[in-house]
Amino acid sequence: MPALPDQAYMARALELARKGLYSTHPNPRVGCVIVRDGRIVGEGWHARAGEPHAEVHALRQAGDKAKGATAYVTLEPCSHHGRTPPCADALVNAGVARVVAAMQDPNPQVSGRGLQRLADAGIAVQSGMLEAEARALNAGFIKRMEKGLPFVRVKLAMSLDGRTAMASGESQWITGPAARAAVQRLRARASVVLTGADTVLADQARLTVRPDELGLNAELTALALMRPPLRVLVDGRLRVPLSAPFFQAGPALVATCAAASARDRFLEDGHELLAVPGSNGHVDLNRLLVELAARGANEVLVEAGPRLAGAFARLGLVDEYQLFVAPKFLGSSARPLLDLPLVRMAEAKELKITDIRAVGDDWRITAVPL
Ligand SMILES: [Zn+2]
């Protein structure tokens, strides 16, 4: 069988890495393919923190056939002793002749040292193949490593006329089942699902991952449920009662700038309280994100009302918008998408649409701030 181009094997490694989309955090999603004489002899992907890295799975499958082979990895092999031994050493010991990486590891504990260790052992090393795809897959991990902040994705559902709820607050089921399944998968891939008191009080929101609505196979569903996102409620004045469905649905973290005396009642039910600086009852969102990154959050999904989502937008904290658009008009008295008090056209927030696709009868727009 004639050998395929390097890119084809790297594309396969990326496909394997994507299986970890819902379960590897705080670790990155990584895939590995080992090829000898034009044949794939080993494949692996990282499933969960604490479990073997992609390279280890692939080397195990390849066995003796790894000798003289080329290993394609979507991220530079690690060189440090974490919870598992360094993969760079495993590749050297297996006698691999060549290693192709999609990108360097942004982890300061690695960043080039893994590739260097391979090169020092006489292995041919190459980096940067399908790098854009690899970076997109781990945008959250990369941002956390490079900036100490998580990747912030804001999900919004709106009508064609840009409205999210009736004036009464009635907002359930704007979009159809396919869009709701897509939102479930956005939650499942996130380290943190973040909302505000308005949403929890008005919509009785739980922000949980519901396995039957994910639309994933049994293996990925099981993995997703082992690593559910942390549900974070931003509640500056502690307005949400413990009897709210949000708290009844499981342990959560409440970020508040309320006085210490008001906080005690939340600890009893197994919830965690995080004191964050703030002003006028508004939590400092930047400080909150720094804290979440310090806890290992790669991707934060914001599912909030116009005020909190608007605050993220105003502060320039949003990396990506996921806009679900339902083919209906809610009318001029309905509520707006974001609370953004702009006056002049020059103040308009500009976005670049990077993807648009149909989801059932609705549309899904991916946009990034310019
Ligand atoms: Zn490793």
Side-chain angles (χ1 to χ4, degrees), residues 34 44 97 110 112 115 124 135 156 158 225 229 246 259 276 286 305 320:
I34 296 175
V110 186
L115 293 173
R135 292 188 75 87
L156 297 159
M158 66 177 192
L225 293 181
F246 180 82
V276 182
N286 198 43
E320 180 186 289

Side-chain angles (χ1 to χ4, degrees), residues 30 38-39 49 54 97 108 119 131 153 172 200 260 266 297 304 317-318 322 326 340 360:
V30 185
R39 273 190 56 227
E131 179 160 1
R153 181 177 282 126
Q172 295 287 301
V200 167
F266 286 87
L317 298 173
V318 181
Q322 290 282 329
L340 270 181

Side-chain angles (χ1 to χ4, degrees), residues 20-21 24-30 46 49 53 74-78 80 83 103-111 134-153 189-191 292-300 319:
L21 196 62
T24 65
H25 55 107
N27 286 355
R29 299 129 184 166
V30 185
H46 183 49
H53 291 180
T74 59
L75 187 69
E76 174 183 7
C78 62
H80 63 296
R83 278 189 267 185
M103 61 175 287
Q104 272 202 10
D105 192 334
N107 184 343
Q109 287 180 291
V110 186
S111 65
R135 292 188 75 87
L137 183 59
N138 285 311
F141 176 78
I142 294 167
K143 190 177 173 198
R144 180 165 69 84
M145 287 296 152
E146 291 180 348
K147 299 188 175 158
L149 285 168
F151 182 93
V152 176
R153 181 177 282 126
R189 66 176 288 173
S191 305
L292 294 175
R295 290 164 176 242
N298 291 337
E299 294 179 15
V300 171
D319 293 291

Side-chain angles (χ1 to χ4, degrees), residues 53-56 76-79 84-88:
H53 291 180
E55 299 92 320
V56 173
E76 174 183 7
C78 62
S79 59
T84 55
C87 292

